[in-house]
Amino acid sequence: MELVQDTSRPPLVKVKGVPLIKYFAEMVGPLQSFQAWPDDLLISTYPKSGTTWVSEIVDMIYQGGDLEKCHRAPIYVRVPFLEFKCPGVPSGLETLKETPAPRILKTHLPLALLPQSLLDQKVKVIYVARNAKDVAISYYNFYKMAKLHPDPGTWDSFLEKFMDGQVSYGSWYQHVQEWWELSRTHPVLYLFYEDLKENPKRETRKILEFLGCSLSEESVDHIVQHTSFKVMKKNPMTNYSTIPTEIMDHSISDFMRKGVCWSGWVLGEGRVEL
Ligand code: A3P
């Protein structure tokens, strides 16, 4: 794998007013000719909202709860990330070429940048929203370790940018709202990270129903157990440890960091634990 020098921390680039990681911005044009298939499933989230968690749950469902099959490849290969591009690494579109139906796709794009074909084909969408405070903290730590992002600066300055929609993928507020509104006209299962934490079995059952799948009680328990934070953190197929350090530096922060709700906001006086 050959990495070019300038992968590290390029400034964000705006596409239709939405700031994006430079390489991802370059993919928005080519993605417009992406052809969705009616049996695709799209997992859409604002970053750091539980994308990997739900991706693993859905892949386990598709594989009938068979752990061995879910170990066939890292999550970013099993669930291609549509707009992903990074020098020296297969892009999302390249990964897709090797992906058999039924495909599970991932995106963080706001609706204005989404390939139209996904809407035209009425592709089922699972959207996951997470409270903005935990997203901001998780995103700050992710910016530090994932070097395709610009340097996040101090927490205070990052939080200002986050609230102003000047981080990669733009405004959290607009994202969670517009995908909610899409669910009026499009098949969207709108989930909340906090609900998944509270009762993962109940939420997994919702996903099963939305997908029109059924599994035994035992298999559902197995999926819930395998997709717990503790297990996924140790699993190299879900914890992103297979990504080169030049792109994600786990010595700065783990990808699977804390996996909790309302993590750093209990200190009061505006102080947070990062
Ligand atoms: P933290 O940084 O707060 O720990 P995404 O996959 O959208 O990038 O989201 C990553 C966030 O989801 C991280 O949050 C990560 O720890 C958390 N996460 C991933 N898998 C999880 C799981 N099985 N249970 C709870 N949280 C999980």
Side-chain angles (χ1 to χ4, degrees):
M1 189 175 291
E2 198 184 311
L3 284 170
V4 297
Q5 280 302 306
D6 75 341
T7 46
S8 211
R9 307 215 173 278
L12 301 179
V13 171
K14 285 194 178 173
V15 183
K16 292 191 186 169
V18 182
L20 291 176
I21 287 174
K22 173 178 175 270
Y23 302 106
F24 298 6
E26 291 165 5
M27 287 308 287
V28 173
L31 262 180
Q32 298 316 305
S33 46
F34 164 77
Q35 287 303 309
W37 300 340
D39 62 351
D40 285 340
L41 175 79
L42 180 66
I43 297 176
S44 169
T45 58
Y46 189 85
K48 313 321 292 171
S49 302
T51 333
T52 315
W53 189 4
V54 168
S55 299
E56 185 68 1
I57 293 174
V58 172
D59 189 48
M60 279 212 81
I61 290 174
Y62 276 26
Q63 304 306 327
D66 186 330
L67 216 50
E68 283 307 307
K69 289 187 182 162
C70 294
H71 272 99
R72 70 194 182 282
I75 194 69
Y76 49 85
V77 174
R78 287 179 281 142
V79 179
F81 181 10
L82 286 180
E83 64 271 21
F84 178 80
K85 185 186 168 206
C86 175
V89 182
S91 69
L93 283 179
E94 283 163 347
T95 306
L96 261 177
K97 286 187 199 146
E98 316 291 323
T99 308
R103 306 182 297 188
I104 311 167
L105 316 170
K106 159 185 167 180
T107 191
H108 296 310
L109 289 171
L111 285 175
L113 305 181
L114 193 73
Q116 182 61 32
S117 174
L118 288 158
L119 300 173
D120 293 345
Q121 294 288 338
K122 289 275 172 207
V123 164
K124 282 186 183 176
V125 175
I126 299 181
Y127 187 87
V128 194
R130 185 183 192 187
N131 80 76
K133 294 177 175 182
D134 287 330
V135 167
I137 294 178
S138 182
Y139 213 179
Y140 178 62
N141 286 286
F142 188 57
Y143 251 66
K144 288 203 272 188
M145 67 88 76
K147 295 178 185 165
L148 294 180
H149 298 98
D151 189 307
T154 63
W155 162 247
D156 284 357
S157 69
F158 180 82
L159 185 59
E160 286 296 327
K161 278 188 231 137
F162 177 82
M163 291 192 298
D164 196 26
Q166 295 305 319
V167 293
S168 185
Y169 292 103
S171 165
W172 173 90
Y173 309 91
Q174 193 178 326
H175 206 282
V176 294
Q177 188 180 345
E178 69 183 22
W179 283 87
W180 176 263
E181 277 163 14
L182 182 73
S183 65
R184 294 178 214 269
T185 52
H186 192 94
V188 179
L189 177 66
Y190 200 102
L191 300 176
F192 295 92
Y193 180 95
E194 293 73 24
D195 289 346
L196 272 154
K197 283 295 293 186
E198 183 187 79
N199 193 334
K201 191 167 178 180
R202 178 191 64 209
E203 301 305 301
T204 302
R205 283 214 190 92
K206 275 189 202 165
I207 296 173
L208 276 163
E209 194 187 333
F210 180 67
L211 297 175
C213 298
S214 65
L215 285 175
S216 67
E217 189 76 7
E218 203 187 1
S219 295
V220 176
D221 286 336
H222 178 58
I223 291 173
V224 168
Q225 190 270 332
H226 171 73
T227 56
S228 70
F229 180 77
K230 244 169 97 178
V231 174
M232 280 183 60
K233 189 176 169 75
K234 277 191 279 183
N235 178 356
M237 294 301 133
T238 53
N239 66 14
Y240 281 86
S241 58
T242 49
I243 292 266
T245 313
E246 292 85 347
I247 302 172
M248 284 190 186
D249 188 344
H250 284 80
S251 71
I252 297 174
S253 169
D254 282 334
F255 178 88
M256 302 279 303
R257 202 180 52 90
K258 288 189 179 172
V260 295
C261 302
W262 310 109
S263 51
W265 296 80
V266 287
L267 300 179
E269 308 285 322
R271 287 180 306 129
V272 295
E273 182 189 298
L274 299 168

